[in-house]
Amino acid sequence: ADAGTYSGILAGLDDPATEVNLVATDAASTVENEVSVGVVTLGVVGSGVTLVGGTIMNLLVRTKDYSTVNEEIKFVPIVAGEGFVSLSIPGGRSRRMRSVEELLSELEPSTRLFSRGRKVQACDPCSSLVWGDLSGDCNYLTNDVEYLERLLIARDDFFRDVTNVDPLDNVAAWVADQSNEEPPDVSRCADFVAVQANPTRDLMKRSAGEPGYLKALTDVIDTQHLK
């Protein structure tokens, strides 16, 4: 992982055993071009043909001032690096990355079915009730950490007693305002969504009668729990 250009990179192995997961979120990042997330090295255990591919589960591109998400990508198959690897051992070992189309033409029709990426399906977040899902897309992804970081900024004036308006009181409207696509409707499960913003379950230190009394304390500790 290249923590020199982008911090917060985590790698997950053996869950399942056929996959490697790379996750990163960095609210302070100002990287504009290429970001090196990691290099995956595979060991050769036998002869055969296997498909090597990948899927971008979630990617957010936002403005430097953190105010606007310009683009959000979900469940898109990678382009560079996808293909079939043909291996032959022992003796004269040959290794060659061949295109999907090239090797599919050599396979029997019954072996040609495989997924090139997941298609995003419409979902009902209030039926799914996925823990950690703050964005209302029925998945727990890095964008949920991004949403929580945005919520911390939105609640800053309330936390500092500049206003009595707490965005968390109308979290359904706040979630809808964050989406660049068709906004999710979380009005029927607003209480559940609000809990996702406060996984530590701690409260603001206020006395009875003061603004913020018995209100959820959302802070950077909560973002660490989501990560």
Side-chain angles (χ1 to χ4, degrees):
D2 187 2
T5 58
Y6 198 91
S7 65
I9 299 173
L10 301 174
L13 304 175
D14 297 324
D15 186 22
T18 56
E19 295 182 5
V20 175
N21 300 306
L22 295 174
V23 181
T25 178
D26 185 1
S29 173
T30 57
V31 177
E32 297 183 72
N33 299 308
E34 295 183 0
V35 176
S36 175
V37 177
V39 176
V40 178
T41 302
L42 305 176
V44 179
V45 296
S47 301
V49 176
T50 187
L51 174 65
V52 176
T55 302
I56 300 173
M57 301 294 290
N58 187 227
L59 175 65
L60 294 175
V61 180
R62 58 176 172 75
T63 54
K64 281 186 175 181
D65 64 1
Y66 200 68
S67 62
T68 305
V69 174
N70 289 334
E71 186 176 14
E72 182 169 359
I73 300 170
K74 293 180 183 178
F75 307 119
V76 176
I78 63 173
V79 178
E82 180 177 87
F84 281 93
V85 178
S86 179
L87 301 168
S88 178
I89 57 173
R93 177 184 298 180
S94 63
R95 306 182 188 181
R96 187 160 80 93
M97 175 74 84
R98 305 170 70 182
S99 70
V100 172
E101 289 73 18
E102 182 183 359
L103 273 165
L104 277 179
S105 64
E106 302 174 9
L107 298 176
E108 293 297 326
S110 61
T111 66
R112 294 181 186 178
L113 299 178
F114 65 92
S115 173
R116 294 292 300 272
R118 292 172 58 185
K119 183 178 180 181
V120 179
Q121 303 289 336
C123 75
D124 179 3
C126 292
S127 295
S128 301
L129 297 179
V130 176
W131 285 99
D133 177 23
L134 187 58
S135 64
D137 63 1
C138 303
N139 292 280
Y140 172 44
L141 300 168
T142 53
N143 68 330
D144 294 300
V145 179
E146 176 88 10
Y147 268 57
L148 180 52
E149 289 170 340
R150 277 189 259 170
L151 181 59
L152 297 187
I153 294 174
R155 293 192 79 208
D156 186 59
D157 283 347
F158 175 74
F159 184 76
R160 294 186 296 110
D161 296 327
V162 176
T163 178
N164 290 331
V165 178
D166 182 4
L168 206 55
D169 286 340
N170 193 359
V171 69
W174 183 86
V175 169
D177 287 343
Q178 308 309 305
S179 177
N180 289 343
E181 304 169 354
E182 184 69 23
D185 181 9
V186 298
S187 58
R188 292 183 293 108
C189 55
D191 290 343
F192 175 83
V193 174
V195 169
Q196 310 317 304
N198 182 225
T200 58
R201 306 295 192 271
D202 52 350
L203 303 176
M204 296 174 64
K205 295 180 179 179
R206 303 294 169 85
S207 301
E210 292 183 333
Y213 177 64
L214 296 182
K215 289 280 190 175
L217 174 63
T218 53
D219 54 21
V220 293
I221 304 300
D222 292 298
T223 67
Q224 294 299 318
H225 273 258
L226 282 189
K227 291 179 183 180

